[in-house]
Amino acid sequence: MNVFIVLAHAEPRSFNGALFQTAHDTLRAAGHAVMVSDLYAMKFDPVSDRRNFTTVKNPDYFKQQIEEMHATEVGGFAPDVEAELRKLEACDLMVWQFPLWWFGLPGILKGWADRVFAMGRTYGGERFYENGVFKGKRALLSVTTGGPEAVYQKGGWNGDIHAILRPIQRGILRFTGWNVLRPNLVYAPVRISDEERQASLNAWAERLRNIESEKSFDVGEY
Ligand SMILES: Cc1cc2nc3c(=O)[nH]c(=O)nc-3n(C[C@H](O)[C@H](O)[C@H](O)COP(=O)(O)OP(=O)(O)OC[C@H]3O[C@@H](n4cnc5c(N)ncnc54)[C@H](O)[C@@H]3O)c2cc1C
């Protein structure tokens, strides 16, 4: 497989860094080709505006989706966006490695999605959900939290983690056609022992060794 891993953590020695390195090394060792976007290391610019484009459809009024459709037609995406689009298009499996921030994506990863998941190129026309542009490809979120598992249950203190991830898994990934795999969740890596952290890295590696045969996960509805 061609695998694309996106990392959103500013500290390479963080637990997110360790999960990322584990995925990278395990998938490479299993014979897969691995592409990477380490967003902080790349200093990826997450601000979405005219900088997304080398072309201009309407110079008087900026409407992002109009410019995206035009850039799709004429090849007008800025080089940093175009490079990411090509990784999306080239991969069979995409993994996003990130810490949960305010019940969502860290800004740098949200901005990456805002800029890269462009209308025309990644969705639009009749191409949504089952008929989405990325139909047949698979995507997986690998997420760490500050809170322990007990607070991320339905009806619990913070609520169901799958409901929290639904805007990402349904609103971005399923919407554009990806088959979503069950998320890799590591709760509160700060609060657990070194042995427990090592065990979760081992479990992640073990899962990735067999990822090719894994079935999709139902991301649920609202
Ligand atoms: C802006 C912001 C918003 C947030 N919002 C939320 C929220 O909504 N909900 C929530 O639950 N949390 C939230 N948090 C907390 C955040 O999700 C956690 O701090 C984060 O997930 C922890 O992951 P980390 O990689 O940063 O951990 P780290 O602190 O980097 O790592 C934890 C421990 O793992 C150790 N470690 C690193 N590598 C290894 C290795 N190879 N083997 C064993 N141990 C290792 C580290 O030394 C450290 O002791 C938020 C934090 C911020 C800054």
Side-chain angles (χ1 to χ4, degrees):
M1 288 190 296
N2 285 318
V3 185
F4 177 27
I5 312 177
V6 185
L7 170 65
H9 202 293
E11 172 55 62
R13 288 167 300 170
S14 64
F15 197 64
N16 272 263
L19 287 160
F20 166 78
Q21 204 59 50
T22 297
H24 178 272
D25 296 352
T26 304
L27 291 160
R28 285 282 293 271
H32 304 297
V34 181
M35 300 173 283
V36 161
S37 286
D38 180 346
L39 300 181
Y40 283 97
M42 294 158 69
K43 299 198 188 309
F44 185 83
D45 180 353
V47 178
S48 193
D49 58 16
R50 283 206 190 270
R51 76 193 70 184
N52 299 0
F53 311 100
T54 56
T55 48
V56 177
K57 175 74 173 174
N58 183 346
D60 299 324
Y61 188 98
F62 175 68
K63 183 150 177 68
Q64 181 169 328
Q65 289 167 312
I66 298 288
E67 296 295 336
E68 287 175 344
M69 287 193 290
H70 180 61
T72 299
E73 279 169 29
V74 300
F77 289 102
D80 60 344
V81 173
E82 180 64 34
E84 299 307 302
L85 279 163
R86 290 188 185 181
K87 292 181 204 171
L88 289 183
E89 288 162 354
C91 76
D92 306 301
L93 169 68
M94 177 170 71
V95 179
W96 292 4
Q97 179 62 59
F98 63 94
L100 189 70
W101 275 15
W102 297 119
F103 279 32
L105 296 171
I108 200 167
L109 181 53
K110 177 58 166 55
W112 178 86
D114 291 343
R115 297 186 69 211
V116 175
F117 279 71
M119 189 174 200
R121 189 83 171 258
T122 74
Y123 68 93
E126 302 295 307
R127 301 167 308 156
F128 299 100
Y129 294 107
E130 297 75 29
N131 300 315
V133 168
F134 298 111
K135 184 170 138 182
K137 295 175 185 277
R138 301 186 301 161
L140 192 169
L141 303 183
S142 180
V143 188
T144 63
T145 66
E149 185 168 5
V151 306
Y152 281 107
Q153 306 302 316
K154 200 167 183 178
W157 197 59
N158 282 348
D160 181 4
I161 190 70
H162 298 295
I164 290 169
L165 296 179
R166 198 161 294 140
I168 309 164
Q169 298 196 134
R170 184 174 168 85
I172 303 175
L173 298 173
R174 281 299 299 136
F175 185 78
T176 53
W178 302 81
N179 285 326
V180 176
L181 302 182
R182 172 175 58 86
N184 179 47
L185 300 168
V186 182
Y187 295 100
V190 180
R191 300 191 196 191
I192 59 181
S193 68
D194 218 25
E195 291 70 31
E196 288 170 311
R197 284 192 292 261
Q198 196 53 55
S200 75
L201 292 172
N202 293 343
W204 179 220
E206 185 54 30
R207 182 178 171 197
L208 289 170
R209 280 186 207 104
N210 301 306
I211 201 77
E212 263 179 297
S213 58
E214 205 174 295
K215 298 263 180 299
S216 306
F217 164 82
D218 180 4
V219 302
E221 295 181 357
Y222 288 100

